[in-house]
Amino acid sequence: MNRPCLPTSIRSVSLALLLLLALGACSNDQLTVSTPPLDRRLPDEISENVTITEFNGTRIDYILKAARIERFNDRKILNAYKVDITAYDSKTGDTSKLKADSTIVDDARNLILANGNVKLESPGGSVASSRIVWDRNLDLLTAPGKVTLVRDGNVLRGENLRTNSRVEFAEMEKISAGGVFGEEYLDW
């Protein structure tokens, strides 16, 4: 039986195409695409000039104002910069104001970590420090390091303060004091 023959030029083009297909075909590795997970250090949201009002039921728990925030939804973390927080006490109705260069609001653990030029003002007094950790579950503030406490015009300086948001009590180490006192205090 006689077979029809392809011209030499078509045979060589066909062979070249087959060779190209064989060399350019996708391997199994190229078909399996792996997408790396998102970098968890990147925030889900970045906003500027923000006011956030946090409610507990129907009452306002606190109002946070910040020049910039970074929110991490999966970890329930909010980083805020140039911060002013006004917290409302549910028992007394008093307000406490916290100002700081930056804060981390950890909603999962109900903590506020304030850093840099931290100032707390409340009806019971004021606290100034470079760092304050506020455990809102216990209403306990700790200021590790140097701190200045002002109550009723009296100034206490020390280290490692423990108090609450109303500055009703104070525990400190390495205390020095300044203020005005009468003669009745001289006879110890």
Side-chain angles (χ1 to χ4, degrees), residues 23 56 63 67 93 102 120 126 163:
L23 292 175
N56 186 354
I63 298 173
S102 67
L120 172 76
S126 67
T163 188

Side-chain angles (χ1 to χ4, degrees), residues 2-68:
N2 243 352
R3 287 180 154 170
C5 272
L6 292 173
T8 311
S9 62
I10 294 178
R11 264 189 292 175
S12 45
V13 168
S14 298
L15 283 173
L17 282 174
L18 284 173
L19 183 61
L20 279 173
L21 282 174
L23 292 175
C26 296
S27 69
N28 198 21
D29 291 342
Q30 290 175 331
L31 295 176
T32 306
V33 177
S34 174
T35 303
L38 290 175
D39 188 351
R40 301 198 101 199
R41 296 173 294 182
L42 295 175
D44 297 306
E45 172 188 342
I46 298 174
S47 303
E48 294 185 2
N49 300 320
V50 177
T51 299
I52 297 173
T53 303
E54 178 80 20
F55 286 89
N56 186 354
T58 58
R59 71 170 182 81
I60 296 176
D61 203 17
Y62 67 84
I63 298 173
L64 179 142
K65 294 181 182 181
R68 176 183 168 100

Side-chain angles (χ1 to χ4, degrees), residues 149 151 156 161-164 167-172 175:
L149 170 67
R151 288 180 67 178
L156 292 175
L161 171 71
R162 285 188 59 224
T163 188
N164 63 8
V167 192
E168 294 174 323
F169 69 93
E171 298 174 7
M172 258 192 299
I175 300 171

Side-chain angles (χ1 to χ4, degrees), residues 98-142:
L98 179 74
K99 293 184 180 193
D101 292 340
S102 67
T103 62
I104 299 172
V105 178
D106 185 341
D107 284 331
R109 296 185 299 166
N110 206 14
L111 289 174
I112 296 177
L113 298 99
N115 294 298
N117 299 311
V118 182
K119 177 102 178 185
L120 172 76
E121 294 179 8
S122 73
S126 67
V127 176
S129 182
S130 62
R131 183 171 181 236
I132 287 180
V133 178
W134 185 358
D135 182 342
R136 300 189 68 237
N137 294 313
L138 304 171
D139 190 27
L140 178 65
L141 279 94
T142 55

Side-chain angles (χ1 to χ4, degrees), residues 145-147 156-160 171-177:
K146 296 183 182 204
V147 65
L156 292 175
R157 289 183 180 81
E159 294 179 7
N160 303 324
E171 298 174 7
M172 258 192 299
E173 299 173 357
K174 301 180 183 177
I175 300 171
S176 66

